[in-house]
Amino acid sequence: KDDRNWCQSHYEGLEKTATQLNLELIYKEEITTDVINDEIDELVESGCEIIVANSFEFGTGMEEAAEKYPEIYFFHATGVGEGKNLSSYFGRMYQIRYLTGIVAGMQTETGRIGYVAAFPIAEVNRGINAFTLGVRSVNPEAEVYVCWTNSWNDDTAAEQAAERLIEEHEIDILAMHSDSIKPLEVAERRGVMSIGYNVDNSAHYPNTFLTAAVWDWENFYTPHILTCLQGKFEGHHYWEGVETGMVSMAPLSAVVKEGVREEVDARQQLLISGNFDVFYGPIRDNEGRLRVAEGESMTDAAMLNEFDWYVEGVIIDG
């Protein structure tokens, strides 16, 4: 609950929801897939009527539990299942990645930006591409160098990736899609500007932190848990955007250049209006092929499942 990252974002969101709805919360930390079923049984036996899981890997356990306990409501973050007593949900974080890309594109002096990323899966690739589109919308010649860690939370791998990007590519801004905060620590130590993820860590990195793509889970949990309390729950798979407040950008820090805030605010209003989204064409990949034609946009299915390519300006470096 205090990882200053993914888990903390859920903890803080649920705490706010609990206050708003007068709920009692029970937390179980460091749960693995081999014990998820037993842990859910314990929660039910202790009187829990709503159960939340915050990792994709808990999908099978949550779906089995939803069938086993039809009177209990289940919420599965990053999942895909749904049923009469089960909802899964995620946010369109790519929209915020795009906005933070605008910050990076306007802030960089060298036009060389690093990106520490966990795995080359659709979710992560979607964020890399959205970020790069944001960068190049204000800085067309800028490049985004990506280094994989092949782990969500391996601190050593994240630290090594950050150091490699700084040493080999002379980046002056470092972004991340990792549940390790080591990239932010490296950036502060090396005097490189940083863009965080999951929660606002600006207080810990006062000299280099620009902003972050963050989750405000209470804006999902409060209205949807309220439907359980009212007996109006309907199980769905939700993918909610910036207009709902589930995803947002942390306040710009004092080190961000003048004029950036106005540009970001204008683009955010476009996203909220629904008249624009990130993956509107024309979009070419980093091999020059037209992927999204002018006047067209990517479907949700394509964004969720088919991102095995990268936009112009992305350079993959191990």
Side-chain angles (χ1 to χ4, degrees):
K1 70 179 182 180
D2 57 356
D3 64 354
R4 287 166 46 200
N5 220 306
W6 171 255
C7 292
Q8 184 170 326
S9 73
H10 285 276
Y11 175 79
E12 292 178 349
L14 282 166
E15 283 292 311
K16 292 174 183 177
T17 292
T19 299
Q20 293 166 355
L21 300 181
N22 193 28
L23 304 176
E24 178 185 352
L25 296 178
I26 297 175
Y27 295 101
K28 287 184 174 288
E29 297 179 278
E30 300 182 8
I31 303 303
T32 53
T33 54
D34 58 321
V35 299
I36 183 67
N37 296 85
D38 293 337
E39 297 292 344
I40 291 174
D41 289 342
E42 277 191 27
L43 290 171
V44 173
E45 290 167 7
S46 68
C48 291
E49 299 174 82
I50 300 167
I51 294 176
V52 178
N54 75 339
S55 177
F56 176 80
E57 63 186 5
F58 295 147
T60 299
M62 289 290 280
E63 290 174 15
E64 291 174 351
E67 290 188 11
K68 183 178 181 180
Y69 300 109
E71 74 283 6
I72 305 295
Y73 299 108
F74 293 87
F75 288 90
H76 182 203
T78 77
V80 295
E82 59 182 87
K84 65 175 183 172
N85 62 329
L86 168 67
S87 280
S88 57
Y89 50 98
F90 201 49
R92 295 179 184 268
M93 186 55 83
Y94 70 88
Q95 295 176 330
I96 308 302
R97 296 281 189 193
Y98 175 79
L99 297 178
T100 63
I102 292 171
V103 176
M106 296 182 71
Q107 188 79 19
T108 181
E109 298 290 341
T110 66
R112 303 166 71 86
I113 298 164
Y115 200 111
V116 174
F119 297 99
I121 59 175
E123 175 197 343
V124 179
N125 292 344
R126 186 170 62 241
I128 292 167
N129 286 337
F131 177 81
T132 305
L133 289 173
V135 167
R136 287 169 72 91
S137 72
V138 295
N139 194 336
E141 301 303 316
E143 296 175 319
V144 176
Y145 294 83
V146 178
C147 191
W148 305 110
T149 63
N150 295 307
S151 169
W152 289 114
N153 51 21
D154 185 325
D155 285 340
T156 299
E159 183 173 16
Q160 290 175 345
E163 291 282 6
R164 175 174 174 172
L165 289 166
I166 294 170
E167 288 289 340
E168 297 187 8
H169 299 294
E170 299 178 348
I171 62 167
D172 65 346
I173 296 177
L174 182 65
M176 57 182 282
H177 191 155
S178 165
D179 292 341
S180 167
I181 57 174
K182 282 294 182 179
L184 302 179
E185 295 178 3
V186 171
E188 182 80 359
R189 185 174 70 247
R190 298 293 299 271
V192 170
M193 299 293 110
S194 67
I195 293 176
Y197 180 44
N198 288 320
V199 300
D200 181 0
N201 276 295
S202 57
H204 300 279
Y205 311 105
N207 300 311
T208 57
F209 195 88
L210 298 173
T211 185
V214 301
W215 300 97
D216 297 310
W217 291 109
E218 67 275 10
N219 292 325
F220 177 84
Y221 286 130
T222 297
H224 289 282
I225 289 178
L226 183 60
T227 67
C228 301
L229 306 181
Q230 295 172 332
K232 299 178 180 179
F233 177 90
E234 293 183 2
H236 295 291
H237 172 68
Y238 296 95
W239 197 27
E240 299 193 348
V242 63
E243 73 281 355
T244 70
M246 179 197 280
V247 293
S248 67
M249 195 174 79
L252 298 178
S253 73
V255 298
V256 174
K257 293 178 179 178
E258 291 186 8
V260 175
R261 184 184 309 278
E262 291 76 10
E263 185 66 31
V264 169
D265 288 347
R267 302 290 183 94
Q268 180 165 305
Q269 287 306 310
L270 273 177
L271 289 167
I272 292 173
S273 74
N275 295 320
F276 168 76
D277 202 6
V278 175
F279 296 106
Y280 282 11
I283 299 174
R284 293 187 179 274
D285 66 22
N286 59 357
E287 296 179 353
R289 291 174 293 185
L290 184 66
R291 292 284 191 162
V292 185
E294 186 170 1
E296 295 184 1
S297 63
M298 294 187 70
T299 65
D300 282 1
M303 285 190 285
L304 284 166
N305 304 309
E306 298 174 11
F307 259 128
D308 57 357
W309 55 275
Y310 304 96
V311 301
E312 284 183 313
V314 175
I315 299 172
I316 304 296
D317 183 29

